[in-house]
Structure formats: C-alpha cells, structure tokens
Amino acid sequence: MRQVYLDYSATTPVKREVLDEMIPYFCEKFGNPSSLYQYGEDAAAAINKARNQVARLIGAGDREVIFTSCGSEADNWALIGTAHSLRKKGRGNHIITTQIEHHAILHTCKALEKEGFEVTYLGVKPDGRIDPEELKQAITDKTILISVMFVNNEMGAIQPIREAAAIARERDILFHTDAVQALGNVPIDVKELGIDMMSMSAHKIYGPKGIGALYIRKGVVLPGFIHGGAQEFGKRAGTESVPNMVGFGKAAELAMEQLTDHIERLTSLRDYFIQEVTEKISNVYINGGMEHRHPGNANLTFDFIEGEALLLYLNLNGISVSTGSACSSKSLVPSHVLAALGIPVERIHGSLRFSIGDFTTKEDIDYTVECLVKVVATLREISSVSGEKGW
C-alpha cells in the first residue's frame, strides 16, 4: 500500500543532513559543554554554531536566542516571565492574545487568569486574521503584553505581525509571537518586524523533537525560567542537549538556504491539491483565506460526513492527515480555531487539515485526491443525512 504523509504541521521527519550532523555528539563528541577540557570545548563550540544558525534564520543576534526544550516551553516562559516580572514592577496585569492561539498560549493565559491577571482574547475575521484596529481598542493602561501567533497551526492564517508589533511598540507594550508554524515556512526578520520575543521549535523544520528556542530581543529583561546552573546565559539551567541543539542549527541552516524554493514548491502543490479536490468533490469548503496562508496548509470541510471517519478511512488507504492541532486531535471537542471563524459545529466536525511538506510529491497528491473521491462518496452514502442528497 502506498504511504502518504500529509501532516507536516504536526511534525516533520528529520532530514538526513540534520541527523548526520547530530550523530557525532551522541558518541565521539559527548562532552559536557560546561567542562573546561577539550571534550567540553568541542561541545560548547557546537552549541555556539547552532545558536548562530538559528539566529541567522530569523535575523537575530546570537545572544538573543535561548534554547528551550520545545515551543510550548518558550511560550510559557515568555508569558509567565513577562506577566510576573511586570506586575511586580507595578506596570499592570492585562494581557492581550487571540482566540485562535495554540493551547500552549491559551492554557497559560487561563492559568495566569487564576493568578489575577486579566486577559483579552481577540476574535478573527473570516479569513482567520485579527483586525489591528480591534487590537488597538483592546489596549488599556494596564496592558503589559500582546501575544499574537505568527501562523495558525490549524488553518494556516498568517497574522499581520508587523502591524501588531508596531501597535505594541507605540504603547510601550512588549510583543510576543508564537512562530512555531511560521519558522522555515515564511520569511522572518525579527528586527524588521519589531518583535520582542518569539517562540520556535525544531521538529517543525525537519529537525529533532525535544528542542526549541525563545528569541528575546536585546534590552528585554525576562527572568530565568529554570534555576540551577549558568547555562543559556544564566536564563535556563540544565545540561545542554548538544545533539538536539546541533540538529536545530543544521535544520535552520537548511531552511534558510531553501526558503524561497520551499515556499514556491509547497504553494504550487497546495493550490493544485485544493483545485483537484474542489473540482472533483462537491460541497467542499476552504477554511480561512487564501491570500495570507501557510504555503503548505489546506484546511477543508467536507459536508455531510464526520472528519474523524474520513481520517480513519484515509488511514486505511495509507494516508496520514489530521483533524486539527496534534495536541488536541484525539479530542472530539470542536476546534476552537474553526469555531472562532464562525463555522457551524456540524461543519467543523467535517473538517480535516492537510499539510504538505518537502517530501510530498505530485503523485502523493493525485493518490490522495483519488482516495478522497471514493471515501467521501462512501461516507456520504452511509451518512445519516444522505437522504437529503444535497451534494
């Protein structure tokens, strides 16, 4: 059976070049970077190189990139660290974010609300993007942080980050963005965009799992998140995961070299996929706008069927897709992202996220469309509403 992976927004395979770069640091170059002898110096040099590679991808300085265990940790650190630090200084207790954030942001905000912080959750327009004017109206004299994700993980909307960051800067408010889905998929220059803090993760750009990073602009004072040793400039204690850091660095280097071709190729395959599906299957809807969208994202609603059933049938045909975020895909709770778009619950349940990546081929797309045509027809025939024959 043909195997087709179309869930690159959930995770990506480690590229061979990345793995080859990592392997020596498991065995031959296994030293602790804090040690003063050669083994330690070799490991420390590898970390410095990796930090530079990640920094170059986003237009940052080396010392502005702090490695973490994942994007979720980076999100938690940015929000919790900022909130506690600025409230203690008497700056305020109000945070602004959006309704469509990853749960690493939303759950952290809910936890902060229990501590007495006030949080405003901005809605989005039908295309999945926030309205900068609504952001302006939400600011109060107690606002200390604005956090708007760069690219939505479910329906791929690219947010107006430059405008949002500028609004924050005008009011002397710190601006954070979760760029886990954006990194390596859209051009990012943190200086040009005016970003103060930005979360990243390696496993979305063909690097290893278990390693992420938080960009902290020079001049932004964020308290340390893990206490102990002096690692990561004294901000995050713990013996460094050198192989993972090296892998992140190499993945970032490749992403930077291949960014233009990567975007063009994914956009072409995505548009071809959407065209084929919408021409060959009736009552299919694209969730979110197409103008400002992740190049590999196609979030589609198939009327009159359940997305979970469609996912399982596709899996039986060797095709891997998702009903939404990998962090909530095992839950039957309707997607909070699609709900924020105003999509009815019954249509949300018929939605799937197809995300295309570097190893996706046109043959993969053709096979997926062929299977979709058959499976959708079968499921609609046995659907409880099939008697309507509205398709």
Side-chain angles (χ1 to χ4, degrees), residues 1-13:
M1 181 192 302
R2 187 184 187 96
Q3 295 292 319
V4 177
Y5 183 76
L6 292 176
D7 202 17
Y8 284 84
S9 289
T11 196
T12 61

Side-chain angles (χ1 to χ4, degrees), residues 153-354:
N153 52 302
E154 291 194 35
M155 48 81 187
I158 302 173
Q159 298 300 325
I161 296 300
R162 179 181 287 102
E163 294 92 327
I167 291 168
R169 185 66 56 87
E170 289 171 5
R171 299 291 295 272
D172 195 26
I173 299 168
L174 288 178
F175 181 80
H176 165 261
T177 183
D178 178 337
V180 167
Q181 292 290 339
L183 192 71
N185 289 304
V186 299
I188 300 175
D189 185 323
V190 290
K191 305 297 185 186
E192 191 265 336
L193 291 170
I195 296 168
D196 294 312
M197 294 176 286
M198 187 175 80
S199 303
M200 299 168 275
S201 183
H203 78 101
K204 306 291 189 179
I205 61 167
Y206 309 92
K209 299 174 182 65
I211 186 71
L214 179 63
Y215 159 74
I216 306 173
R217 179 179 59 80
K218 183 179 180 181
V220 173
V221 179
L222 193 66
F225 199 56
I226 298 178
H227 305 289
Q231 294 89 351
E232 294 303 290
F233 312 120
K235 294 291 187 180
R236 185 183 185 276
T239 301
E240 300 93 337
S241 178
V242 181
N244 279 346
M245 291 175 175
V246 167
F248 194 178
K250 184 62 178 180
E253 179 184 86
L254 293 174
M256 185 174 180
E257 293 173 353
Q258 302 165 3
L259 185 60
T260 300
D261 291 341
H262 169 83
I263 293 173
E264 291 178 355
R265 182 174 179 278
L266 263 60
T267 301
S268 177
L269 281 174
R270 180 202 64 194
D271 292 350
Y272 173 69
F273 172 69
I274 291 175
Q275 178 181 324
E276 288 289 294
V277 171
T278 53
E279 286 183 356
K280 295 181 178 180
I281 304 175
S282 62
N283 296 90
V284 178
Y285 305 92
I286 303 168
N287 298 318
M290 290 298 297
E291 182 179 0
H292 303 282
R293 195 183 194 102
H294 182 298
N297 177 285
N299 191 303
L300 305 176
T301 290
F302 298 83
D303 266 358
F304 314 117
I305 57 178
E306 285 286 332
E308 286 78 12
L310 181 53
L311 182 152
L312 293 173
Y313 270 80
L314 288 175
N315 184 54
L316 291 175
N317 286 275
I319 302 168
S320 300
V321 297
S322 172
T323 53
S325 167
C327 299
S328 59
S329 59
K330 293 183 180 180
S331 170
L332 295 180
V333 176
S335 162
H336 70 284
V337 172
L338 299 187
L341 295 181
I343 299 174
V345 172
E346 59 272 18
R347 281 193 170 174
I348 293 176
H349 280 304
S351 301
L352 287 183
R353 180 187 68 185
F354 301 83

Side-chain angles (χ1 to χ4, degrees), residues 105-125:
I105 295 291
L106 294 178
H107 289 177
T108 302
C109 284
K110 292 299 181 183
L112 288 170
E113 284 185 282
K114 293 179 181 179
E115 296 181 22
F117 288 90
E118 298 176 5
V119 182
T120 296
Y121 301 90
L122 298 175
V124 293
K125 297 179 291 185

